[in-house]
Amino acid sequence: MSATVTGATDKSDATGENARPPGNEPGLPLTGERTIPGVPEENYWFRRHEIVYRRLVERCQNRDVLEAGCGEGYGADLIADVARSVIGLDYDETAVAHVRARYPRVDMRHGNLAELPLPSGSVDVVVNFQVIEHLWDQGQFVAECARVLRPGGILLMSTPNRITFSPGLDTPVNPFHTRELNADELTELLEAAGFGMESMLGVFHGERLRELDARHGGSLIDAQIERALADAPWPAQLLADIESVTVDDFDLVEGTPARPIDDSLDLVAIAVRP
């Protein structure tokens, strides 16, 4: 979720490496469904999404890539640094117009993720970060990913870990989510569509973020949410700490006995189409 407005699924690089200066076009509105560039209070959530792009972008090197559900578009543009071609797809017409105006390297298209408007076997990589939890027919979407991928193509997918994101709840805490998944459920979803699992990674707080957790009552996330829901200015120290977060403050690693995958903040699956 976002600490500015409950919920966050999208991503935008306003201050990090490869940042693009804003043009004259207006930015997307901050609705809570996605993080928005240039909002200091959103920086933690953006960096938590950004690390997955930064660590996996090499998988897109010299390949034809589809980002299904690209939202604000910064990630698709980052991928364009290394890919042979990048198609962006989103159902939100406002987001489509925004990406076309801001990120001309991306072949931006409007369409339904349950019926991907691409020929079968037309791309090498499908990227789907922080989107699957928003979809009603998750199985249909994953099947469509398998259809548009070439043999041996890869699906890169991230999603909030249900166990830590909505702990103990029967329905997602984020009003924009339809169904959240744990690692076993995500694996089952992908394998049911015929994918082979290469790896399941988790996003964790690194050492510096664990220090910030301790500074802010045990949970930096809870401190942000509490402040976002309060009708009051952000404390200067909390805002400064949020603004200081970078991708290097997160770990993206496989689970271990000392740090189980079920304890991760977000799940990151790498799956291969046979």
Side-chain angles (χ1 to χ4, degrees):
M1 70 176 60
S2 157
T4 300
V5 181
T6 303
T9 66
D10 202 7
K11 41 279 181 189
S12 178
D13 190 356
T15 59
E17 181 183 357
N18 291 346
R20 308 290 184 217
N24 294 324
E25 75 283 353
L28 293 176
L30 183 61
T31 64
E33 190 174 6
R34 59 174 69 89
T35 51
I36 297 299
V39 181
E41 294 87 349
E42 287 288 299
N43 185 57
Y44 166 87
W45 300 98
F46 161 59
R47 300 302 177 188
R48 181 166 146 180
H49 296 164
E50 183 191 20
I51 184 179
V52 183
Y53 284 101
R54 298 290 180 194
R55 299 294 169 82
L56 297 186
V57 68
E58 64 182 22
R59 303 300 296 263
C60 301
Q61 185 82 36
N62 298 322
R63 295 184 172 184
D64 297 319
V65 180
L66 166 68
E67 183 169 16
C70 70
E72 195 277 337
Y74 95 90
D77 189 61
L78 187 156
I79 292 168
D81 285 338
V82 303
R84 180 166 52 230
S85 67
V86 181
I87 297 170
L89 180 68
D90 206 276
Y91 190 70
D92 184 340
E93 292 183 348
T94 301
V96 171
H98 172 84
V99 174
R100 285 175 177 167
R102 187 168 184 137
Y103 304 110
R105 297 191 299 175
V106 178
D107 177 7
M108 189 62 199
R109 305 181 188 182
H110 176 257
N112 189 339
L113 270 62
E115 297 179 357
L116 296 176
L118 275 74
S120 298
S122 57
V123 295
D124 303 302
V125 181
V126 174
V127 173
N128 182 247
F129 292 159
Q130 305 299 107
V131 174
I132 189 73
E133 66 277 4
H134 291 255
L135 304 181
W136 288 104
D137 196 339
Q138 296 176 343
Q140 171 66 18
F141 167 67
V142 175
E144 278 289 279
C145 291
R147 180 185 66 80
V148 302
L149 279 167
R150 294 166 182 147
I154 59 174
L155 172 61
L156 306 176
M157 179 177 287
S158 74
T159 189
N161 179 7
R162 175 176 60 79
I163 296 172
T164 58
F165 201 80
S166 299
L169 300 179
D170 294 329
T171 58
V173 66
N174 187 318
F176 295 103
H177 293 182
T178 60
R179 179 196 176 205
E180 295 169 356
L181 304 161
N182 63 26
D184 289 340
E185 292 162 344
L186 179 55
T187 299
E188 181 180 358
L189 178 69
L190 297 176
E191 290 182 340
F195 282 98
M197 293 298 299
E198 179 179 314
S199 58
M200 179 70 70
L201 309 175
V203 176
F204 297 86
H205 279 183
E207 181 178 357
R208 181 170 174 271
L209 279 173
R210 293 195 295 271
E211 292 173 355
L212 293 182
D213 281 332
R215 178 183 295 174
H216 295 283
S219 173
L220 184 63
I221 296 171
D222 288 348
Q224 293 178 81
I225 294 172
E226 180 181 354
R227 180 49 48 190
L229 296 176
D231 186 17
W234 284 59
Q237 184 64 64
L238 176 60
L239 185 56
D241 287 342
I242 294 303
E243 287 188 271
S244 73
V245 174
T246 74
V247 293
D248 293 331
D249 294 321
F250 294 93
D251 296 333
L252 178 59
V253 295
E254 294 183 346
T256 66
R259 192 155 58 166
I261 193 70
D262 285 347
D263 290 347
S264 66
L265 301 168
D266 298 314
L267 301 168
V268 181
I270 302 175
V272 181
R273 180 198 184 281

